[in-house]
Amino acid sequence: MRAAVVVVVSWASKILNDEDDYNTFIGDTSYQEGLFLICAASGTKGGSSGSPVIDWKGRAVALNAGSKSSSASAFFLPLERVVRALQFLQKGRDSSASNWVAVNIPRGTLQVTFLHKGFDETRRLGLHSETEQMVRHASPPGETGMLVVDSVVPGGPAHKHLEPGDVLVRMNGEVTTQFLKMETLLDGSVDQTIEMQIERGGTALTVNLRVQDLHSITPDYFLEVSGAVIQPLSYQQARNFRFHCGLVYVTEPGYMLFRAGVPRHAIIKKFAGEEISRLEELVSVISKLSRGARVPLEYISYMDRHRRKSVLVTVDRHEWYAPPQIYTRDDSTGLWTAKPALPPESVFLSAGINHHGEGLLNQAVVSNTCVTNMMEDRPQDNNHELADGLTVMETSQENVSEETQAHDEPDVGTKKRRIEEDSSTDGIVIADCSLHESTEEKLENVRTTLNAVLRDNHGAAANASISERVIEPTLVMFEVHVPPSCMLDGVHSQHFFGTGVIVYHSQFMGLVAVDKNTVAISVSDVMLSFAAFPMEIPGEVIFLHPVHNYALVAYDPSALGSIGSSVVRAAELLPEPTLRRGDSVYLVGLSRSLQATSRKSIVTNPCAALNIGSADCPRYRATNMEVIELDTDFGSTFSGVLTDEHGRVQAIWGSFSTQLKFGCTTSEDHQFVRGIPIYAISQVLDQIISGAKGPPLLINGIKRPMPLVRILEVELYPTLLSKARSFGLSNDWVQALVKKDPIRRQVLRVKGCLAGSKAENLLEQGDMVLAINKEPITCFRDIENACQALDMCDDNDGKLNMTIFRQGCEIELLVGTDVRDGNGTTRVINWCGSIVQDPHPAVRALGFLPEEGHGVYVARWCHGSPVHRYGLYALQWIVEINGKLTPNLDAFVEVTKELGHGEFVRVRTVHLNGKPRVLSLKQDLHYWPTWELRFDPETATWRRRTIKALDCCSLHENDV
């Protein structure tokens, strides 16, 4: 396609670090320190950069460099320096027998940015008229100005020699007013000394500067740890931020640093008590840390360069990411090759999980045996820049614009919290205890201090209700982080917080109950802060109820120490009698400052049935649940417990997630709070304590059998008996149901069966459930009790004898039930950048599974991956690869193991809407190896295993 170009300005001077102007056209990542561009009215738009600009004879005269979107202006890059680089490449080709080889193109720099300014401006800067006349005479005709120093990078060759405002007169005795002439001299004088004559405020000066090799300050390696990319600070960014080259620079914070509040573009200055000035020093410190260690980190940012900020970094306890790796640029292949950053004998690789989260900071706390507050006070802010840098996983099917990267951003009332870029944690206060004191004396001092604190709190809470004072020692504040690489089951955020209650506390195990809008999936890092004792410790998710909106999280009481373990206690649960309309309850929870807050409320509806629609990306939603509604509460973000006047817990005041839809394309995530009756929790808790008949799970070093839950995998909803009568329900059944439950006056109807359940082909949408084993059914709890009764029978076949009303007829059916554990999803595979898993219940609740196989469901995809490039997005099943069926994850692994690097793969998929599709993609095992993350109940840890990757030897064989 050809178009005539009108040159509206002969030359336009542009400087790369002029972010307010030039970034609009080209960007801020170039090696040039200043250049002249051809300005033309070509009207070119984005995507045409690098295309040739030719004259009427077809000769290339420039390269398209950029354009302004609001006008027809465009900027072309002259070819002088391009031709020079090409000549070096051609010489390298000529000297090689058959292949292109890596060629070093000399580039020199003084780490100085120059601007071209007119003579009128240079005169105002103090340039003598005699010098101006000399320059005009020595310069080409039409010269309009001179080069002036705009900025000098600290620590560079010109630092403390040149200053902003210096006017360049000569370089090596020659008058220099053009960028091209200056670059030619610098590139030809690498590692040599040049003489520069300048005028500074009317004073003539001569300085000798050594030209630095630009390649030596251009990073050719970086560290990848926990999803973070850390590198030596490049010259380009050092110029933008006015920092020294080579400092430890956070390009992307990844998971571990983002969780601590370290923003993008941070400069790490201190880690684990050691000063950090080079990347090798950071790697050395990491090698000494064990998993789960918590250590301080100090950094500075270019926005607030004069103050250090301190945060607390928690080393990943589980293998969410591959071990730290160093990526090095290989100029012979054009690829970045990875190698382990840590030696095999390093503590990070050899040590197990530090369950107490003890690092260098915690060891100091233990040695002093002093009470410390490990809570971090980080302000809440919607930092879109930081969020976009972290959120590399997507669930959308086809929208790959930049706007989709922020689809997980929080709205009003959501539980997700972003860390402010310039946030800093409060200082960690450690009491100055004498190391010479005996252990008994130190413990006594701690007890005295703690008792004084409790007395002060008691005085401050003198006006609190009895229930608040009783329940406060049982409350726990949750902070939950989900690794971006493991966002399974449709989880809609990476950061949650809420309040839970301790339901069991002994010498060897503590259990906390919390809603599933706080602990959504088991693939997460959970930190617990106790209201009764100022300490923060990790927790582990041990049970996610498949139906009810609650999870159980275990913690190690020994991590609290003897004092903390003695003041923390479990709440007394009161499952019976159930709450009734008009009952008085106390709503008690925690504020952000871990202060108990309570109010007296009245139950307005003790059995409100939930009706939460499916989200765009299917995720857990509470179904078949009756919740408690109050007349007054503390808003949609406050969670806690409902107690009686004596502080006995009758319900969890938990958070529920929903998605409000506006029109066909717009939706917003919202939350609301309701009461979850405590009987649902107490039943599972009793089985855990007494020893359930289920698979064992390692909890705090002790294997404990975990309960299995028998459920009817059918989504139900209540219908008033007055409506049911209109559908033909007989008067006898209406009277029987009213007699069974005169308050609800309802019958349960089938909304749908979960795909793959034993009830799928037996029950139909619209069926009314009248009775089970001849006993009338009026609420969800009746069905739960009937399922539990099956487990109490030795000869049960797992089926319920159900009486169904369907299309005017009563039908007797034997309907099978399903047994589920509380582990949630325990296996995930990453193939070509797609996160695949078994379809979770929220997907099965849509009522569809492909006939070809339904065990390989694409939950997420990564930006820049092969699946992104070729269009294999989320919310679909992979049912076939190269003609081989993949009905489950095991079959999928066997098929993908046989695929080679660079091989094109034919993939057949089926979308959630049932639409089949066939596409091809090219596998890239170098940057996107196939790996698996699986939960190991024997060690209670998530283990990462590489299924297939490309080693360096194979890389050279395939690419040379």
Side-chain angles (χ1 to χ4, degrees):
M1 183 175 180
R2 297 178 296 175
V5 176
V6 178
V7 178
V8 294
V9 180
S10 296
W11 297 97
S13 174
K14 289 295 175 184
I15 302 301
L16 293 174
N17 67 332
D18 188 357
E19 297 183 1
D20 295 333
D21 182 18
Y22 190 71
N23 289 349
T24 308
F25 310 111
I26 296 181
D28 61 352
T29 55
S30 172
Y31 290 150
Q32 300 288 345
E33 295 173 314
L35 72 162
F36 284 111
L37 298 177
I38 305 172
C39 183
S42 64
T44 54
K45 299 302 178 184
S48 60
S49 297
S51 58
V53 179
I54 61 176
D55 63 6
W56 66 280
K57 293 184 178 180
R59 296 173 300 185
V61 296
L63 294 179
N64 189 22
S67 63
K68 190 170 184 178
S69 58
S70 59
S71 68
S73 299
F75 297 90
F76 301 151
L77 180 69
L79 295 183
E80 289 87 352
R81 310 306 293 168
V82 177
V83 170
R84 173 180 179 268
L86 178 61
Q87 292 173 347
F88 274 98
L89 293 176
Q90 290 173 334
K91 291 179 181 178
R93 173 64 174 176
D94 295 340
S95 62
S96 176
S98 59
N99 297 317
W100 289 90
V101 296
V103 176
N104 180 45
I105 301 176
R107 298 295 307 275
T109 182
L110 299 175
Q111 296 192 33
V112 180
T113 301
F114 290 86
L115 292 176
H116 187 270
K117 294 188 177 183
F119 285 117
D120 58 340
E121 177 68 15
T122 58
R123 284 194 296 269
R124 290 194 292 269
L125 292 174
L127 182 69
H128 290 294
S129 59
E130 296 83 1
T131 306
E132 178 183 339
Q133 292 302 321
M134 182 272 297
V135 170
R136 285 179 180 272
H137 179 74
S139 300
E143 180 58 75
T144 59
M146 301 176 67
L147 299 180
V148 179
V149 175
D150 178 64
S151 64
V152 180
V153 176
H159 182 52
K160 297 183 179 180
H161 296 285
L162 297 182
E163 297 179 0
D166 290 348
V167 181
L168 176 63
V169 180
R170 291 185 177 90
M171 295 182 68
N172 280 353
E174 296 185 11
V175 174
T176 303
T177 61
Q178 298 285 316
F179 290 122
L180 178 60
K181 187 173 183 180
M182 180 182 65
E183 286 189 5
T184 302
L185 177 60
L186 293 178
D187 291 345
S189 305
V190 176
D191 293 331
Q192 299 177 18
T193 300
I194 64 172
E195 179 185 86
M196 299 186 68
Q197 296 177 15
I198 62 173
E199 284 200 12
R200 178 181 302 164
T203 303
L205 298 173
T206 299
V207 295
N208 294 316
L209 302 177
R210 187 172 183 81
V211 180
Q212 189 174 17
D213 184 0
L214 183 59
H215 299 297
S216 67
I217 53 175
T218 301
D220 60 355
Y221 68 101
F222 65 86
L223 170 67
E224 186 179 71
V225 53
S226 187
V229 177
I230 307 173
Q231 66 174 61
L233 184 64
S234 66
Y235 163 55
Q236 290 74 37
Q237 292 293 55
R239 183 184 59 197
N240 290 335
F241 300 155
R242 306 295 188 267
F243 285 132
H244 288 258
C245 290
L247 296 178
V248 181
Y249 171 68
V250 179
T251 305
E252 290 292 341
Y255 174 61
M256 181 176 71
L257 296 184
F258 170 79
R259 180 183 172 189
V262 178
R264 186 189 299 174
H265 307 312
I267 302 294
I268 298 176
K269 304 297 293 183
K270 198 173 184 179
F271 190 43
E274 297 188 25
E275 293 291 337
I276 303 296
S277 60
R278 297 184 302 111
L279 189 60
E280 292 75 13
E281 296 172 351
L282 178 65
V283 173
S284 176
V285 173
I286 293 176
S287 67
K288 303 173 186 177
L289 301 177
S290 61
R291 290 192 174 273
R294 308 192 72 195
V295 293
L297 180 146
E298 294 182 9
Y299 71 92
I300 57 176
S301 66
Y302 71 97
M303 296 293 293
D304 191 7
R305 60 192 305 117
H306 303 296
R307 294 185 300 174
R308 288 193 179 188
K309 299 175 179 63
S310 178
V311 297
L312 195 61
V313 174
T314 302
V315 181
D316 292 347
R317 304 176 65 244
H318 299 275
E319 298 176 5
W320 308 132
Y321 293 87
Q325 298 183 95
I326 292 289
Y327 281 82
T328 305
R329 189 182 70 238
D330 187 348
D331 292 330
S332 63
T333 62
L335 299 175
W336 291 78
T337 58
K339 65 177 182 180
L342 309 180
E345 66 275 7
S346 65
V347 177
F348 187 96
L349 299 178
S350 60
I353 291 181
N354 188 338
H355 290 279
H356 294 179
E358 294 177 1
L360 301 181
L361 174 64
N362 298 72
Q363 290 169 6
V365 175
V366 172
S367 65
N368 291 332
T369 62
C370 299
V371 181
T372 63
N373 187 348
M374 306 302 291
M375 285 294 297
E376 298 175 74
D377 183 16
R378 293 182 292 210
Q380 180 176 350
D381 183 46
N382 293 334
N383 189 320
H384 296 284
E385 180 189 11
L386 182 57
D388 291 348
L390 179 64
T391 308
V392 297
M393 310 296 294
E394 288 292 341
T395 58
S396 60
Q397 179 190 359
E398 295 179 352
N399 186 3
V400 295
S401 67
E402 291 183 3
E403 286 147 8
T404 62
Q405 296 185 27
H407 81 286
D408 282 337
E409 287 300 314
D411 293 298
V412 176
T414 59
K415 299 178 75 74
K416 182 162 69 168
R417 185 180 68 180
R418 296 292 186 193
I419 306 301
E420 183 179 5
E421 179 167 338
D422 292 325
S423 65
S424 61
T425 56
D426 290 342
I428 306 301
V429 180
I430 303 178
D432 185 14
C433 299
S434 174
L435 298 178
H436 300 287
E437 293 180 296
S438 65
T439 302
E440 293 78 7
E441 291 174 341
K442 288 185 284 187
L443 288 176
E444 184 59 32
N445 292 337
V446 172
R447 292 190 181 96
T448 303
T449 303
L450 183 60
N451 290 335
V453 172
L454 294 177
R455 285 196 303 271
D456 292 341
N457 291 341
H458 179 75
N463 294 328
S465 62
I466 296 176
S467 60
E468 178 182 327
R469 293 197 295 267
V470 170
I471 206 67
E472 181 178 10
T474 71
L475 298 180
V476 177
M477 179 65 73
F478 278 74
E479 186 173 7
V480 183
H481 291 267
V482 180
S485 62
C486 312
M487 295 186 66
L488 311 179
D489 297 354
V491 61
H492 61 288
S493 176
Q494 298 169 9
H495 192 188
F496 301 89
F497 60 90
T499 303
V501 60
I502 301 173
V503 294
Y504 182 77
H505 181 79
S506 68
Q507 181 180 358
F508 303 105
M509 180 178 67
L511 296 178
V512 187
V514 68
D515 60 77
K516 288 175 68 173
N517 198 29
T518 300
V519 178
I521 57 177
S522 57
V523 188
S524 55
D525 284 308
V526 181
M527 296 304 297
L528 309 176
S529 300
F530 296 81
F533 189 69
M535 181 170 284
E536 187 181 36
I537 63 174
E540 292 294 338
V541 183
I542 65 167
F543 187 83
L544 293 165
H545 199 282
V547 177
H548 290 292
N549 182 31
Y550 77 87
L552 293 179
V553 176
Y555 64 88
D556 187 357
S558 65
L560 296 171
S562 59
I563 305 298
S565 183
S566 63
V567 297
V568 170
R569 64 180 183 83
E572 181 181 353
L573 307 185
L574 188 64
E576 299 292 343
T578 58
L579 290 172
R580 298 175 299 176
R581 185 170 180 263
D583 286 350
S584 295
V585 294
Y586 289 87
L587 171 58
V588 188
L590 293 177
S591 66
R592 294 290 185 86
S593 58
L594 289 182
Q595 299 297 318
T597 305
S598 67
R599 75 184 310 163
K600 188 176 182 180
S601 301
I602 303 298
V603 176
T604 58
N605 189 350
C607 51
L610 289 177
N611 182 21
I612 301 176
S614 179
D616 295 334
C617 175
R619 63 177 186 245
Y620 169 77
R621 57 188 177 93
T623 59
N624 298 352
M625 279 188 64
E626 289 184 341
V627 294
I628 301 166
E629 295 180 344
L630 303 179
D631 59 345
T632 56
D633 56 31
F634 288 107
S636 61
T637 61
F638 184 88
S639 57
V641 295
L642 300 181
T643 72
D644 64 3
E645 60 183 359
H646 301 294
R648 295 174 295 186
V649 177
Q650 297 175 288
I652 299 291
W653 191 247
S655 176
F656 294 79
S657 176
T658 184
Q659 190 175 77
L660 301 181
K661 298 183 179 181
F662 307 95
C664 299
T665 59
T666 305
S667 60
E668 292 182 356
D669 290 328
H670 282 261
Q671 72 177 26
F672 61 92
V673 282
R674 295 291 186 272
I676 306 170
I678 202 64
Y679 77 84
I681 299 175
S682 62
Q683 291 173 351
V684 172
L685 179 62
D686 292 341
Q687 296 182 56
I688 295 177
I689 297 174
S690 60
K693 297 179 181 179
L697 177 65
L698 188 69
I699 304 177
N700 299 335
I702 301 176
K703 287 188 177 181
R704 300 177 184 272
M706 300 303 295
L708 299 173
V709 181
R710 183 178 295 276
I711 57 177
L712 180 67
E713 288 198 324
V714 178
E715 187 174 351
L716 305 166
Y717 67 98
T719 298
L720 295 176
L721 290 177
S722 58
K723 296 288 186 181
R725 191 189 294 272
S726 302
F727 282 98
L729 186 63
S730 67
N731 188 60
D732 292 339
W733 273 110
V734 171
Q735 292 181 359
L737 294 174
V738 171
K739 182 180 179 181
K740 170 67 182 301
D741 193 339
I743 297 178
R744 289 182 176 85
R745 296 175 178 268
Q746 65 185 24
V747 64
L748 298 180
R749 300 190 70 184
V750 175
K751 186 176 183 179
C753 298
L754 271 68
S757 66
K758 295 180 179 179
E760 180 180 15
N761 298 322
L762 297 174
L763 297 179
E764 298 179 1
Q765 185 177 4
D767 288 350
M768 297 184 187
V769 180
L770 302 178
I772 295 180
N773 297 332
K774 306 301 182 181
E775 290 292 329
I777 298 297
T778 61
C779 63
F780 303 124
R781 188 174 182 181
D782 291 342
I783 296 182
E784 293 177 12
N785 292 337
C787 291
Q788 293 175 9
L790 291 177
D791 292 331
M792 298 179 183
C793 302
D794 296 332
D795 57 346
N796 82 86
D797 56 358
K799 295 182 178 181
L800 297 174
N801 183 11
M802 303 182 68
T803 303
I804 303 299
F805 183 76
R806 178 186 300 168
Q807 298 179 355
C809 301
E810 293 182 21
I811 304 175
E812 298 287 336
L813 293 176
L814 287 177
V815 181
T817 57
D818 293 271
V819 177
R820 303 298 178 193
D821 56 32
N823 297 330
T825 300
T826 59
R827 186 185 186 189
V828 58
I829 296 174
N830 186 303
W831 176 69
C832 291
S834 64
I835 298 293
V836 298
Q837 63 170 99
D838 284 321
H840 51 94
V843 174
R844 297 171 51 234
L846 299 179
F848 169 74
L849 291 176
E851 295 180 357
E852 300 89 338
H854 50 75
V856 185
Y857 173 73
V858 181
R860 297 268 172 172
W861 54 272
C862 302
H863 281 275
S865 64
V867 297
H868 178 197
R869 178 179 180 182
Y870 294 98
L872 177 57
Y873 301 120
L875 310 184
Q876 50 190 327
W877 285 270
I878 299 176
V879 297
E880 188 178 292
I881 293 182
N882 285 350
K884 298 180 181 179
L885 294 177
T886 56
N888 51 55
L889 292 179
D890 290 332
F892 180 77
V893 169
E894 292 302 317
V895 172
T896 55
K897 282 198 306 186
E898 304 301 322
L899 304 176
H901 171 66
E903 178 180 348
F904 276 95
V905 183
R906 182 176 180 271
V907 183
R908 186 169 185 268
T909 65
V910 178
H911 193 266
L912 276 177
N913 57 19
K915 180 181 178 180
R917 182 186 177 209
V918 176
L919 57 89
S920 63
L921 62 84
K922 185 178 181 180
Q923 183 170 245
D924 182 359
L925 292 176
H926 178 63
Y927 294 115
W928 300 94
T930 305
W931 53 265
E932 175 188 56
L933 186 69
R934 178 178 289 192
F935 181 75
D936 182 8
E938 296 294 325
T939 60
T941 56
W942 289 87
R943 298 294 186 185
R944 182 187 179 105
R945 179 178 70 93
T946 300
I947 296 175
K948 187 166 186 178
L950 189 65
D951 56 28
C952 296
C953 296
S954 301
L955 177 66
H956 286 280
E957 291 173 1
N958 292 330
D959 292 309
V960 172

